[in-house]
Amino acid sequence: MKIIYYSNSGNTEKMANLIAEGIINTGKTAEVINVSNANVNIFDDEDVVILGCPAMGDEVLEESEFEPFMEEISTRIQGKKVALFGSYGWGDGQWMRDWQERVESLGCTLINDGLIIQYEPEDNSSECIEFGMSIAKA
């Protein structure tokens, strides 16, 4: 399974690595890839799409790397199961709700409601690991 993420402060990257740990705990493989190293066809042979991006600015996806990647894959992920995650510093998670709606409108099935963690995932590391395990079982 491939986990594509963008991280500005390092919090979403930590989440990605903990989610990978959860996937690996189920006996499956997980590869954590920064969005700057991902290409448009990275999910072509995958049944599950795992994406991580923090809330930026006015609770939106990061606009210079992650948003263009989402646009590029939007026509390629229809019919796939999708798991979303990310960190935030303020707000109430509106970026995640908007992102979920967007992914569903592309014809994808959300694995769950997504995982959002305020600031650093340190106190929520078990939550990230469990999220990875639930993705592996989906």
Side-chain angles (χ1 to χ4, degrees):
M1 297 184 150
K2 294 179 176 78
I3 302 168
I4 308 302
Y5 74 93
Y6 172 86
S7 190
N8 188 40
S9 66
N11 293 339
T12 301
E13 181 178 13
K14 288 178 186 174
M15 291 178 73
N17 287 314
L18 289 165
I19 291 166
E21 184 179 329
I23 292 168
I24 292 166
N25 286 349
T26 70
K28 296 193 176 177
T29 60
E31 184 179 0
V32 178
I33 304 166
N34 187 295
V35 70
S36 63
N37 298 319
N39 60 47
V40 69
N41 60 357
I42 197 157
F43 293 117
D44 286 358
D45 296 327
E46 303 284 331
D47 295 327
V48 177
V49 174
I50 309 167
L51 300 168
C53 185
M56 304 293 286
D58 190 25
E59 287 209 70
V60 296
L61 296 174
E62 190 276 330
E63 296 174 312
S64 66
E65 288 187 72
F66 201 86
E67 180 59 42
F69 179 73
M70 276 299 301
E71 283 296 317
E72 288 179 344
I73 66 168
S74 64
T75 60
R76 304 176 79 97
I77 61 174
Q78 182 177 5
K80 296 187 185 277
K81 296 177 186 175
V82 178
L84 306 174
F85 68 94
S87 61
Y88 68 104
W90 59 275
D92 69 352
Q94 185 62 45
W95 106 99
M96 182 59 74
R97 291 189 294 276
D98 292 343
W99 197 10
Q100 291 167 329
E101 285 179 26
R102 179 179 179 184
V103 166
E104 287 179 318
S105 75
L106 296 173
C108 301
T109 303
L110 291 173
I111 291 176
N112 56 34
D113 289 336
L115 177 63
I116 62 173
I117 292 181
Q118 191 169 25
Y119 303 116
E120 225 174 320
E122 303 225 356
D123 294 336
N124 306 85
S125 59
S126 63
E127 190 176 350
C128 292
I129 292 168
E130 289 169 16
F131 184 71
M133 292 171 73
S134 72
I135 293 168
K137 295 173 184 172

